[in-house]
Amino acid sequence: IIIVIIYSLEKEVFMTKEKYEELQKKADEDVKMPSDMNGLMQKNDIMATLIQEWIKICNRQAYNVIEIEERINQLKGKLVKYYKYEDNYKWNTLAECESQAMYNPQFIKYRKVYLKQKAYLKFFEDTLANLKGMPYSIKNDIEWKKYGMGMS
């Protein structure tokens, strides 16, 4: 089966595994809670910047996921049309044509890319959620440290 697709995922540069691993390391650093008072205060000062960086990362990745999903839907439509009208075997129902489309090797390949990109997005969203909760933890730690030093 040869089907020409308007867009090719192979030619696009979505989030690579290497870039994802680089962002995982950044996430580990960004969510790390300092143990000393100076570190806590410095971390508190940069939290808004970190949160904004991760919002941008999440938005960019969400766009990638939507873009791939749209391309998969286009491919599925073309495959269903192919199986309904052009395949040597005549499939009786739309459900049968959709089933054939879902097992098409090209569709499976694109679906794997989609699922990987979606998993990356989930990690980024979880990192952002952790960062958004950190200012409260930082302030709490600062107050405890002040209390421990007799500064309250």
Side-chain angles (χ1 to χ4, degrees), residues 8-135:
S8 172
L9 291 179
E10 295 85 17
K11 294 179 183 175
E12 295 295 328
V13 179
F14 294 110
M15 179 70 62
T16 63
K17 183 179 178 184
E18 293 78 18
K19 180 67 174 172
Y20 173 68
E21 289 170 353
E22 178 184 316
L23 287 171
Q24 277 183 313
K25 290 175 185 171
K26 177 179 173 29
D28 290 343
E29 286 300 313
D30 289 351
V31 300
K32 191 180 291 181
M33 185 71 84
S35 59
D36 64 318
M37 181 65 96
N38 285 339
L40 286 168
M41 292 172 70
Q42 288 173 353
K43 186 71 149 194
N44 192 45
D45 289 344
I46 64 167
M47 283 309 300
T49 302
L50 291 176
I51 289 169
Q52 188 60 36
E53 285 178 20
W54 282 97
I55 287 171
K56 288 178 183 177
I57 291 168
C58 286
N59 286 343
R60 197 168 33 247
Q61 186 62 17
Y63 175 81
N64 287 345
V65 168
I66 290 167
E67 185 71 22
I68 295 169
E69 188 173 32
E70 179 60 31
R71 292 177 188 189
I72 287 174
N73 288 336
Q74 290 176 359
L75 174 61
K76 183 178 177 185
K78 290 178 185 212
L79 288 170
V80 167
K81 182 180 175 185
Y82 171 83
Y83 287 116
K84 182 72 177 165
Y85 300 110
E86 299 169 27
D87 194 21
N88 292 334
Y89 184 83
K90 292 297 173 197
W91 304 98
N92 294 323
T93 66
L94 179 61
E96 290 174 331
C97 294
E98 287 178 345
S99 177
Q100 289 302 307
M102 300 286 273
Y103 288 103
N104 177 281
Q106 190 175 16
F107 184 86
I108 291 169
K109 182 178 179 182
Y110 281 31
R111 182 95 173 126
K112 285 180 182 177
V113 170
Y114 169 74
L115 292 173
K116 184 185 296 182
Q117 296 296 316
K118 198 169 176 181
Y120 294 168
L121 176 60
K122 174 76 170 108
F123 176 78
F124 299 152
E125 290 171 337
D126 290 347
T127 299
L128 178 59
N130 286 340
L131 286 169
K132 285 182 174 180
M134 279 185 73

